């Protein structure tokens, strides 16, 4: 079963290791995800996020470009196994060749520093998706507050609306994961194209404010967008104090079933958040994805629905937008 995953933080983990003087290879490592694990999991395409923490840099654009350089160095080292893609045609070509694909994405809208020229430069570097925020207020918008307290009053700023319009004009996919409730509703009103929540779950099943309300799920589905199921424990269920957090496959499937019921099977995808999450995982690495496919079928998903969630829905979106 081919896998398309809309979000991982593996490049960030490699970048941090390199900054410490302890470089790690994308080919094989002790992280959740590397190329050998992806091959065992039958991956076709992985979105590799360039995650920039504004608490650790005063130069987000410069930091992002340095991370992009690492991404392309790793792509070159492993060009026999994987190739970066920016268009649907490039994805098709890799599929024909039996080669994995890597799509570059951005996590933290402030990497463009509110400057459309910087955004266009990152697009030219291959970035095709961007979250408008991470966990900090920036020049574009307010984020979700974290935990169980949603931000319902403050959403996109004027510059955020401008950058959203520029993203759609360029062909860069808007990602509302990490954005405040008010911001997601702003995007639902302002966006002219489908958009995604690359790594978010259902708030009806877990109260974390990063999760999506049923209204948001319906809105994204009606826009033709896709929601990538996040494997993080605290997004899957409310963990009682003192209880060991475990990301359970059964709970991932509960969220899939809820989102299918609210928005339809067509809005469901995968967004593991590998190498950006902690805790015990029943899907401990990218190599374990066949377990999820088997569990979905055992839980009543048809073979066609599993294919929709694993790759067809996201690839359909990329075919339309890229």
């Amino acid at each position: 079963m081919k896998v398309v995953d809309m979000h991982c933080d593996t490049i960030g983990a490699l970048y941090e290791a390199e900054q410490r003087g302890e470089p790690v290879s994308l080919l094989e490592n002790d992280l959740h995800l590397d190329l050998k694990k992806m091959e065992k999991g039958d991956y076709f395409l992985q979105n590799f996020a360039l995650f920039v923490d504004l608490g650790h840099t005063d130069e987000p654009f410069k930091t992002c470009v340095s991370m992009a350089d690492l991404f392309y160095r790793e792509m070159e080292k492993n060009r026999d196994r994987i190739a970066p893609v920016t268009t649907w045609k490039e994805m098709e070509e890799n599929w024909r060749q039996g080669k994995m694909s890597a799509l570059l994405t951005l996590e933290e809208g402030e990497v463009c520093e509110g400057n459309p020229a910087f955004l266009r430069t990152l697009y030219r570097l291959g970035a095709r998706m961007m979250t408008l925020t991470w966990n900090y207020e920036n020049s574009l918008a307010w984020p979700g507050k974290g935990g169980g307290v949603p931000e319902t009053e403050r959403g996109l700023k004027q510059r955020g609306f401008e950058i959203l319009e520029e993203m759609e004009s360029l062909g860069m996919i808007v990602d509302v994961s990490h954005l405040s409730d008010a911001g997601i509703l702003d995007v639902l009103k302002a966006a002219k194209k489908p958009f995604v929540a690359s790594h978010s779950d259902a708030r009806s099943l877990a109260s974390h404010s990063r999760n999506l309300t049923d209204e948001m799920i319906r809105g994204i589905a009606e826009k033709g967008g896709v929601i990538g199921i996040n494997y993080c424990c605290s997004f899957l269920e409310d963990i009682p104090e003192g209880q060991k957090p475990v990301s359970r496959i059964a709970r991932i499937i509960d969220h899939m079933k809820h989102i299918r019921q609210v928005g339809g099977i067509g809005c469901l995808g995968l967004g593991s958040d590998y190498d950006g999450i902690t805790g015990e995982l029943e899907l401990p690495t990218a190599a374990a994805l066949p377990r999820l496919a088997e569990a979905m079928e055992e839980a009543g998903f048809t073979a066609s629905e599993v294919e929709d969630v694993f790759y067809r829905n996201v690839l359909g979106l990329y075919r339309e937008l890229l």
Side-chain angles (χ1 to χ4, degrees):
M1 180 70 65
K2 290 298 180 186
V3 176
V4 174
D5 183 343
M6 284 204 289
H7 187 85
C8 77
D9 285 303
T10 309
I11 296 299
L14 268 58
Y15 181 76
E16 290 177 4
E18 186 174 79
Q19 294 297 297
R20 295 192 304 267
E22 303 169 354
V24 175
S25 169
L26 182 60
L27 176 62
E28 189 171 18
N29 56 52
D30 293 329
L31 302 170
H32 293 143
L33 187 142
D34 61 34
L35 299 184
K36 291 187 176 182
K37 296 183 186 87
M38 288 170 62
E39 287 170 344
K40 289 180 181 177
D42 198 20
Y43 275 59
F44 168 59
L45 185 149
Q46 177 66 55
N47 284 13
F48 286 97
L50 305 183
F51 162 56
V52 175
D53 186 339
L54 298 183
H56 295 161
T57 180
D58 295 325
E59 299 177 299
F61 175 74
K62 181 178 177 180
T63 301
C64 186
V65 171
S66 295
M67 296 177 73
D69 176 70
L70 184 151
F71 169 79
Y72 282 110
R73 282 186 277 128
E74 289 295 327
M75 290 295 107
E76 180 62 23
K77 289 176 189 174
N78 298 285
R79 61 185 181 276
D80 58 326
R81 283 181 155 92
I82 192 166
V85 291
T86 59
T87 67
W88 170 251
K89 287 185 178 180
E90 291 170 346
M91 296 176 198
E92 282 188 309
E93 182 60 27
N94 284 349
W95 187 285
R96 281 194 293 268
Q97 293 183 10
K99 184 180 289 190
M100 294 186 294
S101 293
L103 187 71
L104 191 64
T105 71
L106 309 170
E107 186 173 27
E108 171 53 76
E110 193 61 21
V111 294
C112 68
E113 299 182 12
N115 186 335
F118 285 9
L119 179 73
R120 290 189 288 269
T121 298
L122 293 168
Y123 178 85
R124 294 182 190 109
L125 279 174
R128 290 297 182 270
M129 182 183 293
M130 182 174 79
T131 67
L132 298 177
T133 61
W134 185 58
N135 290 347
Y136 304 109
E137 175 191 352
N138 62 26
S139 64
L140 308 183
W142 279 269
K145 292 180 179 178
V149 184
E151 172 56 78
T152 60
E153 300 297 324
R154 298 176 296 183
L156 267 60
K157 301 179 181 180
Q158 182 57 39
R159 185 58 55 87
F161 284 105
E162 294 167 2
I163 290 295
L164 185 153
E165 184 176 358
E166 183 68 14
M167 289 176 69
E168 291 196 323
S169 176
L170 286 170
M172 185 183 288
I173 299 168
V174 176
D175 183 354
V176 298
S177 285
H178 284 286
L179 190 59
S180 68
D181 283 24
I184 294 174
L185 296 180
D186 284 340
V187 173
L188 279 167
K189 292 175 184 175
K192 296 179 174 62
K193 294 182 178 182
F195 61 90
V196 304
S198 67
H199 53 302
S200 298
D201 294 336
R203 199 178 299 173
S204 291
L205 301 187
S207 63
H208 198 292
S209 64
R210 277 278 317 285
N211 283 343
L212 302 169
T213 66
D214 288 359
E215 177 187 8
M216 295 169 190
I217 293 168
R218 277 190 292 269
I220 292 170
E222 288 168 1
K223 282 278 189 178
V226 180
I227 298 159
I229 292 290
N230 192 321
Y231 309 165
C232 180
C233 314
S234 60
F235 292 4
L236 294 172
E237 58 184 318
D238 298 324
I239 309 294
E241 188 174 350
Q243 180 175 310
K244 181 181 179 181
V246 179
S247 169
R248 303 185 190 281
I249 293 173
R251 195 60 177 169
I252 292 172
I253 292 174
D254 287 342
H255 282 261
M256 288 180 174
K257 286 181 174 179
H258 181 82
I259 292 172
R260 179 180 62 176
Q261 181 180 10
V262 174
I265 192 68
C267 74
L268 262 172
L270 303 177
S272 66
D273 209 0
Y274 274 149
D275 297 316
I277 55 178
T278 58
E280 182 180 335
L281 308 177
E282 287 189 349
L283 297 173
T285 73
L289 264 291
R291 295 185 204 168
L292 179 59
E294 292 170 6
M296 287 175 68
E297 291 198 15
E298 289 172 1
F301 284 83
T302 67
S304 179
E305 286 178 324
V306 177
E307 289 179 345
D308 287 342
V309 174
F310 263 58
Y311 68 93
R312 282 202 298 233
N313 289 339
V314 178
L315 290 185
L317 182 79
Y318 291 170
R319 184 175 186 175
E320 177 180 355
L321 298 179
L322 302 178

